[in-house]
Amino acid sequence: MPNRLAQETSPYLLQHADNPVDWWPWSREAFEEARRRQVPVLLSVGYSSCHWCHVMAHESFEDQDTADAMNAHFVSVKVDREERPDVDAVYMEAVQAATGHGGWPMTVFLTPDAEPFYFGTYFPPAPRHGMPSFRQVLQGVHQAWDERRGEVDEVAGKITRDLAERELSYGDDQVPGEQELAQALLGLTREYDPQRGGFGGAPKFPPSMVLEFLLRHHARTGAEGALQMARDTCERMARGGIYDQLGGGFSRYSVDRDWVVPHFEKMLYDNALLCRVYAHLWRATGSELARRVALETADFMVRELRTAEGGFASALDADSEEVVSPEGRGREGDGGRREGGTGKHVEGAYYVWTPAQLREALGEDDAGLAARYFGVTEDGTFEEGASVLRLPQRDEVVDAGRIEDIRERMLAARALRPAPGRDDKVVAAWNGLAIAALAETGAYFDRPDLTEAAVAAGDLLVRLHFDEQARIARTSKDGHVGANAGVLEDYADVAEGFLALAAVTGEGVWLEFAGLLADHILARFTDDESGALYDTASDAERLIRRPQDPTDNAVPSGWTAAAGALLGYAAHTGSEPHRTAAERALGVVKALGPRVPRFIGWGLAVAEAVLDGPREVAVVGPALDDPATTTLHRTALLGAAPGAVVAVGIPGSDEFPLLAGRPLVDGGAAAYVCRNFTCDAPTTDSDRLRTALES
């Protein structure tokens, strides 16, 4: 019989609705039940596309004996970290402080007052590699709770006090200057992997926010070293197994230093951020590879992640069902005939290939070429002799038309395999990132369909996620809005997406919506005294600690994303409060940028925009579809000046403050390049506009 999670909208929670565990969602009622029964709370945090979350679910949460122990001695609470990043952040901080590491699934035992006292991540069903079994952990915690309750309460109180007393160094109210940004660049150079691209060792994550900083730094200063690191890293990733060579889009990370074998889950946020990075790399260099990857990644998002309501789903799983062919040969040689699943889910099964599978799908001659082109070997680069597709360097000259035909046939054969599961919930912040990427990519490459997809996602957020005060809900699914309040990254990333839509479409309503979100950031997320930002609103549910973190993780931190959105809105409107708040927020980047540049890349990118102005470009014309107007508008959008904002419209339009007092020149279209609303002489020539944006 389904448990309480059957009433939830999160795909991750629904995956556990038929567990024999008597799960509760995170709620006041769950803690009241623990208090009534005088038992601890077992908090389990994960997400839908998490491989080890699925493993622990199959091993433990679907096991009746384990469930009986959980039900007898605990109130068990299941949380989707993507729906409740605040809950995840608070208890992950405790896990990392206590154990020195973290990860998902996260397992935390709490008092009925939500104070943590015992921590872990994945626990196996039997003792393994020095780890106790999950059943042993349950027994040990239950025994400690019953027999040493005073000790447990003391530990929980101390941990909670220690968390509450942690103070973040905010730096000061000044933005990073030339010295701090140069030190950050030097620090990145020291950690850069010149042979393989990227930073640090395995596992290797796409450094999206750092790449944006490097591109902006090059645009502002002309530093070739910054551009070289960005260009080489992008090429290595695009040629590696982390990139889907057939269908486009990036996996979460590479398990090795060479970008060969990925963790195969595909997240919306990674692909949105990387789509924008590659589009900006093309803007800076004209690279054909960057153009191809930006467009293929955009097409992947629209094709595989777009929901029926017009938003974008969160992720595709890493795992999919392993199948056997009618001859019972397992994965080896089963090619496109996917019949008879084993029921076992295997990571990467959808994406990897053996030489025998290539022969069955393509025939002998084309299979040989495909194997050489995509790096498929007899020994394999993955498991059981399978290879992850990549584009190794080769001397062989190939027929591009033949390769494209091979790619299409392989893609068709792959489509017959059991597909990975999709997490269909729409997360506001990640959709904001996708909106920005698709709007700009559509504008750069004359793909109005991509811009239209961005507009549709923006419409969904306004229609469904906004309430009457423009407070934003974190998630929705199947057209139904979730109950969880938006956090800082939701307000900031959606505002960033709306600013991009305003620039590309010339529709001022998107600037208006961005302003509503920016006002919420000032009123509900900002500390008036210090200028620090919190991840949750002042009127949000109170946890044992109000979370705040300025460092990037898989996405820009809410803190630095908010600084960027506030700065962009101030550049559009001349609003001093928004500009001041952005600059005060960047004080932490001044403190952390030279020390840990890899983990505050977006803050460094925003600081580049401050040092450059940012520039404000007003394009006026007799009509939006006037050829001269569209040429100047496109030139403005292609300008690489860090954080530049663009407004386009007819003279006298009140949709964009930047257009006020900007007349036509000799009755024709003109562009004004300004800083702090002080403008250079207008130009009617796109080449001169390009030069003005590059100088």
Side-chain angles (χ1 to χ4, degrees):
M1 187 172 176
N3 56 48
R4 294 173 186 81
L5 301 186
Q7 306 303 314
E8 297 298 306
T9 58
S10 159
Y12 176 65
L13 298 187
L14 290 171
Q15 289 169 3
H16 294 80
D18 292 318
N19 291 168
V21 177
D22 186 20
W23 289 114
W24 292 69
W26 179 273
S27 60
R28 183 183 70 254
E29 290 78 11
F31 288 91
E32 289 175 349
E33 176 68 5
R35 193 172 292 108
R36 184 187 70 79
R37 290 176 52 194
Q38 282 299 295
V39 296
V41 171
L42 191 167
L43 173 65
S44 177
V45 182
Y47 57 104
S48 177
S49 55
C50 164
H51 172 72
W52 287 103
C53 299
H54 292 306
V55 171
M56 190 167 177
H58 295 318
E59 292 174 343
S60 296
F61 303 147
E62 295 173 6
D63 177 71
Q64 186 65 56
D65 290 339
T66 303
D68 288 344
M70 294 171 66
N71 295 338
H73 304 306
F74 304 93
V75 169
S76 298
V77 174
K78 177 62 76 172
V79 167
D80 181 343
R81 67 175 294 260
E82 296 173 349
E83 282 199 333
R84 291 300 302 263
D86 52 339
V87 172
D88 177 65
V90 165
Y91 292 106
M92 183 59 74
E93 186 177 9
V95 171
Q96 290 173 331
T99 68
H101 64 274
W104 298 275
M106 176 169 63
T107 308
V108 185
F109 293 88
L110 315 174
T111 71
D113 293 324
E115 297 180 335
F117 62 88
Y118 189 79
F119 317 90
T121 51
Y122 164 79
F123 290 106
R128 187 188 306 160
H129 306 306
M131 287 191 294
S133 72
F134 187 49
R135 293 281 298 278
Q136 287 175 325
V137 170
L138 295 176
Q139 178 60 32
V141 172
H142 167 59
Q143 188 172 351
W145 182 264
D146 274 2
E147 299 176 6
R148 302 191 304 277
R149 179 68 179 276
E151 285 181 40
V152 170
D153 288 341
E154 184 178 348
V155 168
K158 183 179 186 307
I159 291 171
T160 302
R161 288 191 299 274
D162 288 347
L163 289 174
E165 292 170 1
R166 288 189 171 201
E167 292 188 5
L168 187 64
S169 174
Y170 302 119
D172 52 40
D173 289 345
Q174 295 185 4
V175 301
E178 295 285 358
Q179 180 179 351
E180 287 83 12
L181 295 179
Q183 288 175 329
L185 181 63
L186 179 61
L188 291 171
T189 303
R190 289 170 178 156
E191 296 190 66
Y192 181 65
D193 184 341
Q195 281 75 43
R196 305 168 183 85
F199 301 88
K204 225 169 203 177
F205 291 82
S208 306
M209 290 70 77
V210 166
L211 293 173
E212 287 286 3
F213 162 61
L214 293 173
L215 290 172
R216 286 188 177 192
H217 189 76
H218 169 260
R220 188 179 63 84
T221 68
E224 286 300 322
L227 179 62
Q228 191 70 37
M229 285 191 286
R231 182 165 47 204
D232 288 354
T233 297
C234 285
E235 180 175 353
R236 300 297 195 281
M237 290 193 299
R239 299 182 71 86
I242 194 174
Y243 184 67
D244 183 349
Q245 303 296 340
L246 296 183
F250 289 85
S251 295
R252 176 76 276 267
Y253 62 86
S254 174
V255 302
D256 58 274
R257 297 182 66 183
D258 294 293
W259 308 105
V260 174
V261 177
H263 180 41
F264 287 90
E265 63 183 341
K266 284 180 166 181
M267 310 301 296
L268 174 62
Y269 52 72
D270 282 321
N271 285 282
L273 289 165
L274 287 167
C275 177
R276 204 176 186 193
V277 164
Y278 279 87
H280 291 171
L281 178 63
W282 171 84
R283 184 174 65 179
T285 66
S287 163
E288 180 55 34
L289 179 143
R291 178 185 186 278
R292 175 176 66 80
V293 172
L295 285 170
E296 289 177 355
T297 303
D299 286 336
F300 157 74
M301 288 191 287
V302 173
R303 182 182 67 247
E304 299 192 35
L305 294 179
R306 197 177 188 193
T307 68
E309 296 75 30
F312 291 91
S314 297
L316 298 180
D317 286 355
D319 303 355
S320 56
E321 187 180 357
E322 182 184 49
V323 299
V324 294
S325 70
E327 294 80 8
R329 290 173 292 170
R331 287 188 299 187
E332 179 64 27
D334 60 358
R337 295 200 310 274
R338 295 289 171 169
E339 302 177 16
T342 66
K344 178 183 178 183
H345 280 69
V346 177
E347 182 173 2
Y350 185 71
Y351 299 101
V352 298
W353 293 78
T354 64
Q357 289 172 333
L358 290 178
R359 288 192 292 272
E360 187 162 352
L362 302 172
E364 196 71 37
D365 290 346
D366 283 346
L369 174 58
R372 295 190 300 276
Y373 188 82
F374 290 115
V376 177
T377 67
E378 290 294 338
D379 292 336
T381 58
F382 189 51
E383 298 170 353
E384 300 182 21
S387 292
V388 182
L389 301 186
R390 52 201 172 89
L391 296 180
Q393 297 288 347
R394 61 191 179 281
D395 297 326
E396 180 180 6
V397 178
V398 297
D399 181 334
R402 186 179 174 194
I403 289 295
E404 186 56 34
D405 175 67
I406 286 172
R407 179 182 279 112
E408 290 178 2
R409 289 155 62 197
M410 290 176 67
L411 196 58
R414 190 177 80 175
L416 298 175
R417 302 176 179 182
R422 188 173 87 163
D423 184 333
D424 280 334
K425 72 174 176 293
V426 172
V427 176
W430 306 348
N431 273 253
L433 298 174
I435 287 167
L438 292 171
E440 292 183 353
T441 304
Y444 295 170
F445 303 119
D446 194 22
R447 284 283 304 275
D449 58 309
L450 298 178
T451 302
E452 289 166 6
V455 170
D459 285 339
L460 175 71
L461 292 178
V462 172
R463 183 177 72 253
L464 190 61
H465 285 242
F466 278 35
D467 69 7
E468 60 274 8
Q469 281 87 41
R471 292 174 301 200
I472 196 165
R474 171 74 175 170
T475 62
S476 67
K477 184 178 181 295
D478 299 329
H480 300 288
V481 68
N484 297 308
V487 295
L488 179 59
E489 69 167 0
D490 294 304
Y491 286 83
D493 290 338
V494 172
E496 177 82 10
F498 286 176
L499 290 172
L501 276 182
V504 167
T505 65
E507 296 177 3
V509 65
W510 297 114
L511 177 63
E512 182 181 345
F513 286 138
L516 295 174
L517 297 174
D519 288 344
H520 277 296
I521 293 172
L522 293 187
R524 300 169 58 225
F525 293 89
T526 304
D527 185 293
D528 291 337
E529 184 175 339
S530 69
L533 291 161
Y534 290 94
D535 292 329
T536 55
S538 55
D539 54 353
E541 177 188 353
R542 292 293 178 184
L543 302 175
I544 60 170
R545 172 178 170 83
R546 190 178 180 189
Q548 58 177 173
D549 187 355
T551 58
D552 299 329
N553 198 305
V555 294
S557 71
W559 185 312
T560 57
L566 292 169
L567 183 68
Y569 182 73
H572 265 290
T573 62
S575 168
E576 191 58 37
H578 293 88
R579 170 91 186 200
T580 299
E583 292 183 352
R584 293 184 75 194
L586 291 176
V588 74
V589 182
K590 183 175 182 179
L592 296 180
R595 291 162 43 200
V596 287
R598 281 176 58 192
F599 303 103
I600 201 158
W602 190 248
L604 294 167
V606 177
E608 288 286 348
V610 173
L611 291 188
D612 196 66
R615 300 185 214 196
E616 307 137 3
V617 187
V619 177
V620 291
L624 286 180
D625 59 356
D626 167 65
T629 305
T630 58
T631 297
L632 289 173
H633 181 211
R634 175 175 169 77
T635 301
L637 293 173
L638 290 174
V645 300
V646 177
V648 61
I650 61 174
S653 169
D654 59 0
E655 289 193 289
F656 292 97
L658 274 177
L659 301 180
R662 314 281 185 244
L664 302 177
V665 174
D666 297 329
Y672 297 77
V673 178
C674 320
R675 284 185 174 94
N676 296 318
F677 276 63
T678 300
C679 303
D680 297 335
T683 181
T684 61
D685 183 83
S686 60
D687 289 335
R688 290 182 178 176
L689 174 58
R690 186 177 300 109
T691 300
L693 291 172
E694 292 174 351
S695 60

